[in-house]
Amino acid sequence: MTSGSAREDRRPVLTRIDRVATGTWLLLSVLIGVYWVHQVLRGEEYARQAEDNRLRSVPVTAPRGFILDRNGAVLAENEPAFTLLLYRKETKDLDRSIRFVADLLDRSFDDLKRRAERDRSSYDFVPVVLEDNLTMGEVAAIEAHALEHSEFAVQKTERRVYGHGVVAAHLLGHLGEASPEQVVHRAGKTRPGEAIGQKGVEAAYQDLLAGISGSRTFVIDSFGREVGESGRTDPLPGNTLWLTIDLTLQRIAEDYFADKVGSAVALDPKTGEILALVSAPAFDPNLFTKRLSKAEWDAILADDDYPLNNRVLQNLYSPGSVWKAFMSRAILANGIRPEERVTCTGGATFYGRFFRCHGRHGSVDLVTAIQVSCDTYFYTMGKRLGIEAIAETGNAFGFGRPTGVDLVSEKSGILPSPEWSLKARRHPWYAGETISVSIGQGPVLVTALQVARAFAGIANRDGALPTPHLFHIGENIRTRERFAYRPPVKESVPWPPGARDLVVEGLWRVVNQPGGTATAVRVPGLDLCGKTGTVQVVAQKEAKKAHLLPEALRDHGWFASFAPKDDPKIVVVVFVEHGLHGSTAAAPLAAKMAAEWFRRSTETPAALAADASRPAGSR
């Protein structure tokens, strides 16, 4: 009894011990499991986080390559600047941090907040560019608060500078912050917040100019202060780019358009090198080297003259009487004899409708019709040719498709044909429309650059249509190795024997013979060949009353030209919106640019660069 009772008394004690032992083992198992998860399974992650707490990586943007004109005059360069970076992962209260910067730098809280919240997926890896182009005073103010705001860092970088302001703005383009879509599209090449080329040459040759960015890694203490550098990857500077343009020629056109709206383009007809490209009004690309406020951006968009539009390759217009130069090729290519005459009494009736001519030219043949720009002659020939033959010649000159220029957003224009009408308008082509197309009116639409390239097809004896381009020479800033590229000529206009010479003779008479529509701009010894053109904005019963219309309703003026007659070296096309007549609004600039090009063609490159660097008023 006694021994049995003793065993019974020990059972509760043993049970309690077992429970304690089991609990202890369970606890140890949990601790071991947690330790394994943190030290083994997630050990690398925590080690990386610990390293991030000790190190800070700051991107170093590569210096962007300079852009020069063909003679070495600087068009775009860089100057030192400071950028404010935000390390979001070090921010305890984002709104408080943003409010601090907004108050300190007198910036918009909402604008800064939007910048801080973009590309959220990238915050753990790269800092956010919160503000750029800081003044020295602003840098000092931020550094003075480094202890309480360690989430901010000031990065030394470079700011793009366009020393000539609005000059060549549309061909140069500008920089702007990369959009989220551009960051994705350029994965590995562009960071969120980085400025990249958005228009013009800056965009077309972004990779050539940008270089390769580097980075610097700093050791930071518990207060977020940088106490040392632990590593760096030096950036590789961008390449220098020489453009084909001549700055002095560019300035002549820019000055002419100071109070006008329109465009001008000059190119070498043999190579396609663009010597000048002007779209007016222009914008100052330096505006975009800082972050535009909403008010500034809205003001640009509200401008009725659309200064951001590159009118040379984006605006479409009827070619007006400039089209007669190409119509002449269609006439000769389709068996119509150049000596055949048409009598002009001020207009003619076709398909029951009277089509007016701007004068009474009497009996005219092809060459004379070009010289005096007789509408009646081309109406008559257009009816005989039909739209198919006209479209064939337009296609041969490159109309209805891009020229292939090394700039973005080029428009194709419209080259009407029966096929185009069915596809675009869903109805057949009407014969009466051909009469208007014969003199460059109706649905035919072109760009100034297309006209310039097409005139090269007249200027060149072999009818070659070069690809317009701005790239001249590139130079690797590190190796000083230079590289050039000239797009090969892939298209040419097939001219019937003797046809080109007849058209050129007519264009020469326009400028150099009495009765020509542009004799006022004749330059002795230049042998300028050209064609004037007028584009109606509204229908007018009497041309002589056009000057009485409000400016917004006045006709546009064209002048397309090349020089000299026997060995053309330059093509110049000028278009002035609401300029009334090409002879008075556009031709003077074309003649001046052609004459200047020949004057300068005998100078040395050093003299050209020195001349381009002088202010316009000192030349």
Side-chain angles (χ1 to χ4, degrees):
M1 294 289 295
T2 306
S3 62
S5 299
R7 283 194 299 271
E8 291 175 0
D9 293 338
R10 286 197 298 271
R11 287 172 186 167
V13 175
L14 291 174
T15 300
R16 288 194 295 272
I17 292 173
D18 291 341
R19 291 174 179 172
V20 171
T22 301
T24 301
W25 280 110
L26 288 173
L27 179 61
L28 287 173
S29 297
V30 171
L31 291 174
I32 292 171
V34 171
Y35 178 83
W36 182 83
V37 168
H38 285 79
Q39 295 298 319
V40 179
L41 184 63
R42 301 182 64 183
E44 292 185 5
E45 178 184 348
Y46 287 127
R48 185 168 58 252
Q49 290 181 0
E51 186 71 6
D52 287 344
N53 289 330
R54 187 178 66 86
L55 302 177
R56 169 182 286 173
S57 180
V58 178
V60 180
T61 302
R64 198 168 179 86
F66 282 23
I67 301 177
L68 315 175
D69 89 330
R70 65 187 301 115
N71 305 304
V74 178
L75 302 175
E77 56 186 327
N78 310 309
E79 67 179 15
F82 296 94
T83 296
L84 179 62
L85 303 179
L86 168 66
Y87 288 82
R88 184 181 171 89
K89 63 183 179 181
E90 298 180 23
T91 303
K92 297 177 181 178
D93 184 337
L94 180 60
D95 282 356
R96 176 176 174 271
S97 297
I98 300 300
R99 180 65 64 188
F100 160 73
V101 173
D103 293 342
L104 187 68
L105 304 183
D106 191 23
R107 303 293 198 271
S108 165
F109 174 85
D110 292 337
D111 287 346
L112 294 176
K113 184 68 178 292
R114 279 193 293 270
R115 295 170 199 166
E117 291 183 339
R118 65 181 170 234
D119 301 316
R120 298 183 66 89
S121 61
S122 300
Y123 286 154
D124 290 339
F125 306 99
V126 296
V128 176
V129 177
L130 197 62
E131 189 61 45
D132 45 25
N133 295 320
L134 300 176
T135 66
M136 291 302 298
E138 290 171 338
V139 171
I142 292 168
E143 296 289 359
H145 294 82
L147 288 179
E148 61 265 38
H149 287 283
S150 60
E151 68 271 25
F152 295 113
V154 175
Q155 174 194 17
K156 186 176 180 180
T157 182
E158 293 188 337
R159 170 180 175 266
R160 199 60 158 171
V161 177
Y162 302 92
H164 302 283
V166 300
V167 175
H170 283 97
L171 69 89
L172 289 174
H174 63 83
L175 301 186
E177 182 181 347
S179 67
E181 293 76 18
Q182 289 173 321
V183 172
V184 172
H185 179 71
R186 298 178 51 79
K189 294 182 179 180
T190 300
R191 304 186 310 271
E194 184 176 352
I196 65 172
Q198 298 291 354
K199 287 180 178 290
V201 167
E202 293 278 27
Y205 295 104
Q206 163 64 22
D207 291 338
L208 182 145
L209 291 166
I212 301 175
S213 296
S215 64
R216 298 178 66 189
T217 304
F218 295 96
V219 179
I220 59 175
D221 61 17
S222 58
F223 296 101
R225 295 174 299 190
E226 297 173 356
V227 295
E229 184 176 325
S230 67
R232 69 163 60 196
T233 301
D234 291 330
L236 300 178
N239 300 288
T240 299
L241 175 59
W242 271 265
L243 300 183
T244 58
I245 72 160
D246 179 276
L247 183 55
T248 297
L249 208 62
Q250 181 78 21
R251 276 177 165 162
I252 289 173
E254 299 272 5
D255 291 345
Y256 188 81
F257 274 101
D259 58 350
K260 300 177 180 65
V261 176
S263 57
V265 58
L267 56 81
D268 184 320
K270 295 181 176 62
T271 66
E273 295 177 2
I274 296 175
L275 307 175
L277 187 153
V278 174
S279 176
F283 61 92
D284 186 349
N286 291 298
L287 288 174
F288 295 89
T289 60
K290 65 181 183 68
R291 298 181 190 274
L292 290 176
S293 68
K294 186 177 185 302
E296 290 173 320
W297 180 244
D298 289 344
I300 293 174
L301 295 182
D303 192 324
D304 292 337
D305 289 326
Y306 305 105
L308 295 182
N309 272 19
N310 187 337
R311 285 171 158 78
V312 176
L313 61 156
Q314 291 180 317
N315 282 33
L316 300 174
Y317 305 95
S318 297
S321 291
V322 167
W323 189 250
K324 294 172 184 174
F326 313 118
M327 272 291 296
S328 298
R329 185 266 181 192
I331 291 168
L332 297 171
N334 285 276
I336 299 176
R337 294 178 292 108
E339 62 271 18
E340 185 172 338
R341 291 181 170 272
V342 172
T343 300
C344 173
T345 59
T349 300
F350 302 92
Y351 305 106
R353 176 188 167 192
F354 182 77
F355 288 81
R356 181 175 57 84
C357 185
H358 64 89
R360 297 174 181 268
H361 301 110
S363 179
V364 295
D365 59 9
L366 173 66
V367 174
T368 305
I370 298 173
Q371 176 186 350
V372 300
S373 197
C374 179
D375 291 341
T376 303
Y377 176 90
F378 288 98
Y379 291 148
T380 303
M381 296 306 174
K383 180 184 178 182
R384 289 174 59 178
L385 288 172
I387 192 61
E388 292 90 347
I390 297 173
E392 184 277 327
T393 280
N395 182 66
F397 279 103
F399 293 106
R401 61 183 182 274
T403 66
V405 67
D406 48 351
L407 293 173
V408 298
S409 304
E410 182 184 12
K411 295 288 185 65
S412 297
I414 295 177
L415 179 62
S417 67
E419 295 76 18
W420 168 83
S421 184
L422 288 172
K423 182 178 180 180
R425 305 188 301 185
R426 301 185 183 280
H427 66 69
W429 181 263
Y430 300 121
E433 296 178 285
T434 304
I435 308 304
S436 294
V437 171
S438 299
I439 63 164
Q441 304 289 349
V444 59
L445 295 175
V446 302
T447 67
L449 189 60
Q450 286 177 325
V451 173
R453 182 175 185 247
F455 251 66
I458 300 175
N460 293 323
R461 288 192 173 276
D462 59 359
L465 290 172
T467 301
H469 62 281
L470 287 160
F471 183 96
H472 188 43
I473 299 171
E475 180 183 78
N476 187 308
I477 194 66
R478 301 177 296 279
T479 65
R480 296 299 178 184
E481 177 185 1
R482 293 191 176 187
F483 45 94
Y485 173 70
R486 178 184 296 176
V489 177
K490 298 180 180 180
E491 296 181 89
S492 61
V493 179
W495 285 95
R500 174 194 168 273
D501 291 341
L502 287 169
V503 175
V504 170
E505 175 64 22
L507 297 175
W508 180 83
R509 291 187 184 182
V510 167
V511 180
N512 299 280
Q513 286 286 310
T517 57
T519 54
V521 299
R522 178 177 177 270
V523 178
L526 183 59
D527 271 343
L528 181 68
C529 303
K531 186 69 193 76
T532 56
T534 301
V535 179
Q536 282 192 348
V537 176
V538 295
Q540 302 162 24
K541 292 184 178 181
E542 296 182 53
K544 63 183 180 180
K545 293 183 179 180
H547 66 285
L548 300 177
L549 291 170
E551 183 176 352
L553 300 180
R554 294 176 184 173
D555 295 343
H556 304 315
W558 280 102
F559 189 71
S561 62
F562 58 83
K565 176 184 179 183
D566 294 330
D567 184 22
K569 291 181 171 60
I570 186 172
V571 169
V572 185
V573 173
V574 181
F575 181 83
V576 180
E577 292 187 17
H578 310 298
L580 281 181
H581 305 294
S583 57
T584 55
L589 173 59
K592 186 175 183 179
M593 292 176 71
E596 176 68 12
W597 182 242
F598 282 101
R599 180 189 74 80
R600 293 171 56 74
S601 64
T602 59
E603 296 185 12
T604 64
L608 293 173
D611 191 34
S613 299
R614 292 198 297 271
S618 66
R619 294 194 300 274

